[in-house]
Amino acid sequence: TQLLEQSPQFLSIQEGENLTVYCNSSSVFSSLQWYRQEPGEGPVLLVTVVTGGEVKKLKRLTFQFGDARKDSSLHITAAQPGDTGLYLCAGVPSPDKVIFGPGTSLSVIP
Amino acid sequence: DAMVIQNPRYQVTQFGKPVTLSCSQTLNHNVMYWYQQKSSQAPKLLFHYYDKDFNNEADTPDNFQSRRPNTSFCFLDIRSPGLGDAAMYLCATSGGYEQYFGPGTRLTVT
């Protein structure tokens, strides 16, 4: 069974602070995805990382895929209240299926 | 402009009274999914269709059924809702490795 773990589970920070969220698995995935879900809405895909060691940047968000393709991190610089939401990492074992981690609930306080 | 549409956004049903949730897509994707999401948890996959092929997750209760009459539409039927079935139900589509989610239907069971 392929499982994903995320840490921390909950995070509350002040506007302007930096933060890192981690996603770990004992399994190798061909790719990992990060989604953000705002309250009352469906998850929205932020990024897909495919190559071990890959780093992708999306404005203030930096995503990294571990060299062994078992882990990933999401770093947010100068967090803003609009970053508040549930951040989900998802492993992609096959084209028609994703496995979600438990999520990190982020609250950015103005 | 909406790509994955779910109706209704909010549904209230009585204990044991059958309810149907609907999902439609304008993306012409061949895969459609239904997820159940409870508060502050990751989405849990119930089943998915690859075209007309139905794929049920092993731990999805028999109380949950699905129909996909054509590429664009997919329905989730809950035959006898219990209090534990109160949740957000998310529909998603995929044409490859990325999933596109609808806004979800919040189901309340009284």
Side-chain angles (χ1 to χ4, degrees), chain B residues 69-96:
Chain B
N70 54 52
T71 299
S72 300
F73 286 88
C74 196
F75 300 97
L76 170 62
D77 301 309
I78 308 177
R79 295 195 294 188
S80 182
L83 297 178
D85 296 328
M88 174 78 89
Y89 289 88
L90 295 163
C91 173
T93 73
S94 178

Side-chain angles (χ1 to χ4, degrees), chain A residues 2-80:
Chain A
Q2 295 173 303
L3 292 174
L4 286 165
E5 298 176 346
Q6 286 187 242
S7 62
Q9 187 178 358
F10 298 97
L11 189 56
S12 181
I13 61 171
Q14 293 292 130
E15 181 176 0
E17 291 183 353
N18 302 333
L19 67 115
T20 302
V21 175
Y22 299 93
C23 175
N24 296 285
S25 174
S26 58
S27 303
V28 175
F29 288 98
S30 58
S31 62
L32 272 177
Q33 299 176 336
W34 285 92
Y35 292 79
R36 179 171 67 211
Q37 184 177 20
E38 298 184 15
E41 299 295 332
V44 175
L45 180 66
L46 296 173
V47 75
T48 301
V49 286
V50 179
T51 307
E54 180 178 7
V55 177
K56 282 191 173 179
K57 292 194 174 185
L58 186 67
K59 297 183 181 177
R60 293 176 294 99
L61 277 61
T62 302
F63 304 86
Q64 186 161 8
F65 200 13
D67 291 339
R69 307 210 318 274
K70 292 184 178 181
D71 57 273
S72 181
S73 63
L74 158 60
H75 182 79
I76 302 179
T77 303
Q80 299 177 1

